[in-house]
Amino acid sequence: MLSDLPSEIIYHIATYLPTANALAHLSQTCHRLHEIITAEDSRIFRAFVQSRFPTIETPPYWKDAAQVLTSRSRALDRKAVIGRFVVPSETATKIGCHDISRSDNPTLGYRPVIDSYEVWNGKGWADRKEVLAWGAANQLVMRIKQTDGHPQEKWIIFNDVEDVSSYDDISSLHLLSSKPEYSHETDVEHLIFGRIRGDILHITISPNDATHSYKKNLLTYGLQLDNTDLSDDPEPVLAAHFDNGAIALYHISTDKEEVEPFTWLRTEGALRNKYSKLLSQSLVAVSTGDIKESLCISKVTPSGISPYRTISIDSLNSDFKALTRKANIGAIEPLNTHPLAGPPGEVFLAAWDDYTVRLHDLRSPRPYEVAYKDITDLNPIYSLHTFGHNHFLAGAGGDAVVKIFDMRMCNTYSYLDTQVPTSSQIHTNKPKATTTTTTTTNGKDPNNKNASNSLLHLQKDFSVFLSNPAPLPPTQQNPRRRRLPYRGPIYTMSTPSPASPTIYAGIVDGIVRLDFASTDDLTGPRKGWYEDNLRLGLNTGPGPSSDVTRDAIDLAGYERPDVDGVGTTTITSKLRNQRAFWEIPSSHVEGGEDGGCWDSRWEPLEEAGAWRRRD
């Protein structure tokens, strides 16, 4: 019998089980198996997490980690996304100068830049600290939230400019306190922020004392700042991209109060670098706008910068005519922690001007490996963000669209393997079966071939509209004014940690919080575990609450059509709308819609609809 086998053999067998649910059921078989599986601080759950989610770093609370990661993975498969607005508290602590004068009259809202992190600082998964910060025009808004036995939340609004104009808007922001060099200072927050006028400062903010201090000034020599990027390394490098196309690189781990660039990357002639991204501490990618050298990757060495690889639009096999006139890239996202990745910076996603996101692997002789495209949306892509261990999100430059891509729906590749997708293979949501493990511990097993919610069910990628207008501050409320739906860009996205179910998305004048969690997890028999460990602070009860940050907004989204629909006269997609938690029939909560492949908050389809919302 299985229970009579030596514990090491049982351990070896258990590591091959496809789901965390199977592990839980195995532990309930008999007392001996329960003792083996829970021995050594749930050693088997640790092996499960490290084998099924090998690139996701988690604290060593292995059973909770298995529950959190499999729940999130299942939520992504079921499009179980919950949207809410993040609104600063009216009682936020103000630090710096707030008696200001304005020297201009901007007609557009601010474009937020976001950063966030979370660290575990207790004895369990629920004991953690999360910090969220964003630039709101000239102000820096910060929320510090501790979730444990004594939860608390602090809001801070910082500003150090008296005479304000649009040139004082914050255009870059990086939280440093999660870095090893600063993590021991638990009473202050270290951060680097830059303003359009060219200031790049390293400051500390003390939430308890309501004070701040300047640590470093990064010299910019009067150049106006577009954005900055910070490498994720023990000794990080910061790259500053200026409005004239020049790129300066700085060493952050220095004791100097005034930090000079250790090297520059400048364009020659009339070209101006359009966009840049640090792929790693030693690789930087630049979109030049040039036809022949459209994407240039350079290697950073102690002696300076040297060319490493170039990719031209001619090699992309794109039939998009605009690429013959310009070759801009709107966003780049490294895949340094993805299973496909090799050395840091070698594998990355790039959003090209033909509305296509391409996966590039610098180890391969091909210009790209796989392409991802939404054939119904013709907005440029402003932001890319990896999420989980097999998904990424793309923020469109219009219509408030966030596109969710599942990288498992393409054939995975290896640059050493001859059976790889060719450069002409375009991923346009062709439904495919997948063998990637996606599990839950609530009694449903998506990997069971006999289960109704099997991943072998044909699936398509999905796009979500963040069309709800951001709430106005109380001082600007006007009951007679009708708030129009949001139709703008998704500028940026941030996730507190690789294990978090949350993404913060920046829209004009606001932040939208997206939580990937299934309704039957949050309202079912295990809801107590999710409340204690995820701490989403979500209102799932009857009727709306008085706190807008607790109430989920009803999102809409569409299944992206197959490429076969391109040849038809009209391309249609299945438009879906969410409903409130209390509007879901009780019979639908447990299994969801369409055999469990959709979260139960999505209304059942009655007829095919156009992909754009009609308000």
Side-chain angles (χ1 to χ4, degrees), residues 19-35:
T19 68
N21 187 42
L23 282 177
H25 286 168
L26 180 63
S27 69
Q28 297 169 1
T29 304
C30 65
H31 288 292
R32 183 171 183 269
L33 290 179
H34 181 270
E35 291 176 357

Side-chain angles (χ1 to χ4, degrees), residues 273-293:
N273 291 331
K274 307 294 184 180
Y275 176 85
S276 63
K277 181 72 175 181
L278 278 174
L279 302 177
S280 68
Q281 190 177 27
S282 59
L283 290 177
V284 57
V286 178
S287 169
T288 66
D290 182 55
I291 300 300
K292 295 182 179 180
E293 296 182 349

